[in-house]
Amino acid sequence: MTRTEETASTATRRREAPTTAHGGRNRWLPGWQRLLAGLAAGALLAGSMPPRTAWYLAPAGAAALTWALLGLRWRRRLVLGAVAGVGFFAPTLSWLTGFHPAGFAAVLVLEVALFAAAMLLVDPGRGRWWTVPAALVALEAVRARFPFGGFPLPGMALGQLDGPFAAAAPLAGSLLVAGLATGAGAAVTGLVVARRRVRALVLVAALAALSTAGIVVAQPGGTSTGQLRAAVVQGGGPRGIPAVEADEQAVTERLFDVSDALPPDLDLVLWPESSVVVTGPVAETGEADRVAALARRTGATVVAGVTESESTTFRNAAVAWGPDGRILDRYEKVHRVPFGEYIPARGLFERLSDMTALVPRDAVPGRGPGLLDTVAGPLGVVISYEVFFSDRARAAVTAGGQVLLVPTNAASYTTEEVPATEVAAARMRAKEMDRAVLQAAPTGYTAIVLPDGSVGGQGELSTPELLTATIPLRTGLTPYARTGDLPVLLVVASALIAFPVLRRRRRKHRAADA
């Protein structure tokens, strides 16, 4: 037996040797220092999330997480990932307790399990620090798609909008932003613990230079096709009221009251989601006549969120009235909120929980890109929850949208976490797509976001607001609008799958040569 074979045989015997009860616990539990570092890492990541603007906490959290993970076997990485997941998700999802405590617990368990599973992708070798940000990017990609089409709240990239890494959004979207932010922290740890520091420093410098060059080359190169004089209306009113208990007519009347002060020479007026709630098609109602009169009075295109109730379902739409009062176009929401606008497996949940009382009817899903063909120009639309999904914004922009509209409704929430996170998502979509974004909410936050992601105006919570601005209409597609997440996902897959496979093959060849 060769020395290599003896070493492999010894390692196998150690792995297969039985353990005592205490030894079994030790196989699963990292040391208390690492557990504390994992919890701190999650808390630091949470501290970077909106409404806070401490973007630098995310790299610090990634650095702590990398230190805690390096050298751990898969069982301990799993436990450490769960601890870090609790530190991250428990505070950032706490707003769910206001709706349904059991629902909060279920979502928390799922998200923590996903975080823990992602840590199994990490290579624990000292020189493999870059697998930590790769695993975190993979986690974000999965959360944007699973379960029920995705639940990307909170999103790690949304805490980076006031930091340097957000400049990468036009190149490869929020996944690259998250990867760069967490990669910067992991790289610091990698340099500190590396055995071959010169080699590690060269790798970090090369990655930094490549990222910088890509960001510079891929800055938006679209063209302006004109300007739009727009107004965004917020009616104000009480918050923390579930949709099924809201006074729908009062919401509409407050919007009409604020709209009395609309200035002249407007091109576009945006009202929030569920501004008008009717039974049956909106075109046949008195509310539609009142909105049409508003459009004729202002000489502007008016886009309002409309909820059309039916016997067992409802439709959530953005409807555009032209300056002459005619309905020009409509878009019905495609990406519905699970347990907010529909109940998956409703029959099962009706037997298990009372949460279906909050969603008595399911929304009918729309189809196609969110695009309104209007006198004001082609207007891209993402309704409320859709702003968290870049694919919906991409669909609207690639279909021809020269500006993005976000009619939303965050009146059910008592805290500012969700409204602030929606504004952050609108800013990220603006940077990714190189489009101005207008967001209207009945009780806030209503905001005007410029194509570079900066906030041109934002209202307060609960108060009546009327925001006006002249925004650019833009054409052209950023690299991210053209490709979506695929390039980043390919890089991550290579980092987590291809490189380890190649390394194992090299080891086998060396062992065979020995």
Side-chain angles (χ1 to χ4, degrees):
M1 181 180 290
T2 65
R3 180 175 300 177
T4 301
E5 291 171 334
E6 289 176 349
T7 301
S9 178
T10 301
T12 300
R13 287 196 300 273
R14 287 176 178 172
R15 286 195 298 269
E16 296 177 350
T19 60
T20 64
H22 180 72
R25 288 196 299 271
N26 286 342
R27 289 176 63 188
W28 281 93
L29 292 178
W32 68 266
Q33 299 96 332
R34 290 183 185 251
L35 287 173
L36 187 61
L39 184 63
L44 287 168
L45 289 171
S48 70
M49 294 293 101
R52 296 159 292 277
T53 57
W55 61 267
Y56 46 84
L57 293 182
L65 183 63
T66 304
W67 177 84
L69 286 169
L70 294 181
L72 294 184
R73 295 196 176 191
W74 71 268
R75 294 181 182 86
R76 296 181 179 182
R77 294 202 306 278
L78 188 68
V79 173
L80 189 69
V83 171
V86 170
F88 180 47
F89 289 114
T92 54
L93 293 176
S94 60
W95 53 269
L96 279 169
T97 58
F99 288 90
H100 203 283
F104 163 73
V107 173
L108 180 62
V109 168
L110 175 61
E111 298 289 357
V112 168
L114 291 176
F115 200 112
M119 297 305 99
L120 296 178
L121 301 174
V122 173
D123 188 322
R126 285 192 179 187
R128 310 298 173 186
W129 57 266
W130 38 267
T131 61
V132 175
L136 291 174
V137 170
L139 170 65
E140 291 293 279
V142 170
R143 293 181 60 238
R145 294 160 175 83
F146 174 84
F148 309 119
F151 188 75
L153 281 79
M156 292 184 189
L158 298 184
Q160 298 301 309
L161 285 157
D162 295 307
F165 305 109
L171 175 61
S174 60
L175 289 185
L176 180 59
V177 173
L180 292 177
T182 56
V188 171
T189 297
L191 289 174
V192 171
V193 304
R195 291 190 179 95
R196 302 176 181 178
R197 293 194 177 177
V198 173
R199 179 179 175 182
L201 183 60
V202 170
L203 174 61
V204 171
L207 291 175
L210 183 63
S211 300
T212 302
I215 292 170
V216 171
V217 171
Q219 284 306 297
T223 58
S224 177
T225 61
Q227 295 180 327
L228 198 66
R229 179 68 175 165
V232 190
V233 182
Q234 174 177 311
R239 303 183 67 244
I241 301 175
V244 294
E245 301 175 9
D247 187 339
E248 298 159 349
Q249 189 59 41
V251 171
T252 303
E253 294 303 328
R254 283 192 285 266
L255 289 167
F256 274 115
D257 290 342
V258 176
S259 297
D260 286 340
L262 285 169
D265 301 323
L266 290 173
D267 300 304
L268 175 68
V269 175
L270 178 63
W271 276 17
E273 179 187 26
S274 300
S275 300
V276 178
V277 179
V278 296
T279 300
V282 68
E284 303 171 4
T285 65
E287 286 82 355
D289 294 337
R290 295 180 67 189
V291 178
L294 174 66
R296 287 192 294 267
R297 179 174 65 81
T298 59
T301 297
V302 177
V303 177
V306 175
T307 299
E308 295 175 333
S309 298
E310 300 172 0
S311 58
T312 58
T313 60
F314 69 95
R315 298 178 184 273
N316 187 350
V319 180
W321 281 261
D324 61 358
R326 293 185 303 110
I327 293 180
L328 301 176
D329 206 351
R330 65 183 283 148
Y331 162 69
E332 295 184 9
K333 188 174 184 179
V334 172
H335 200 132
R336 303 166 297 165
V337 183
F339 303 101
E341 291 177 309
Y342 78 104
I343 302 292
R346 177 177 284 273
L348 173 63
F349 279 100
E350 284 179 340
R351 292 192 295 269
L352 296 178
S353 172
D354 62 349
M355 68 174 59
T356 56
L358 296 174
V359 191
R361 293 170 297 171
D362 290 342
V364 177
R367 292 181 295 179
L371 186 70
L372 299 176
D373 186 8
T374 73
V375 176
L379 309 175
V381 184
V382 289
I383 298 177
S384 189
Y385 188 56
E386 292 181 322
V387 75
F388 294 105
F389 297 89
S390 58
D391 64 323
R392 296 310 307 161
R394 286 184 61 229
V397 168
T398 55
Q402 297 179 0
V403 64
L404 279 174
L405 310 182
V406 187
T408 186
N409 185 354
S412 299
Y413 308 102
T414 56
T415 64
E416 68 170 327
E417 274 78 6
V418 172
T421 304
E422 278 193 315
V423 173
R427 294 178 63 191
M428 183 61 70
R429 303 293 87 84
K431 292 184 71 68
E432 289 173 342
M433 305 300 159
D434 188 32
R435 295 293 189 272
V437 179
L438 302 177
Q439 178 169 301
T443 61
Y445 286 120
T446 291
I448 296 171
V449 182
L450 302 179
D452 63 358
S454 61
V455 178
Q458 180 174 315
E460 300 294 332
L461 292 177
S462 297
T463 59
E465 303 282 351
L466 179 58
L467 305 181
T468 60
T470 300
I471 59 171
L473 294 172
R474 296 188 64 79
T475 59
L477 300 178
T478 63
Y480 180 68
R482 295 178 185 276
T483 64
D485 292 329
L486 182 59
V488 173
L489 294 178
L490 290 176
V491 171
V492 167
S494 298
L496 296 175
I497 300 174
F499 291 165
V501 169
L502 292 175
R503 188 171 68 255
R504 292 190 191 99
R505 288 182 178 177
R506 286 197 298 268
R507 287 177 179 174
K508 288 181 179 179
H509 288 314
R510 290 171 184 168
D513 293 340

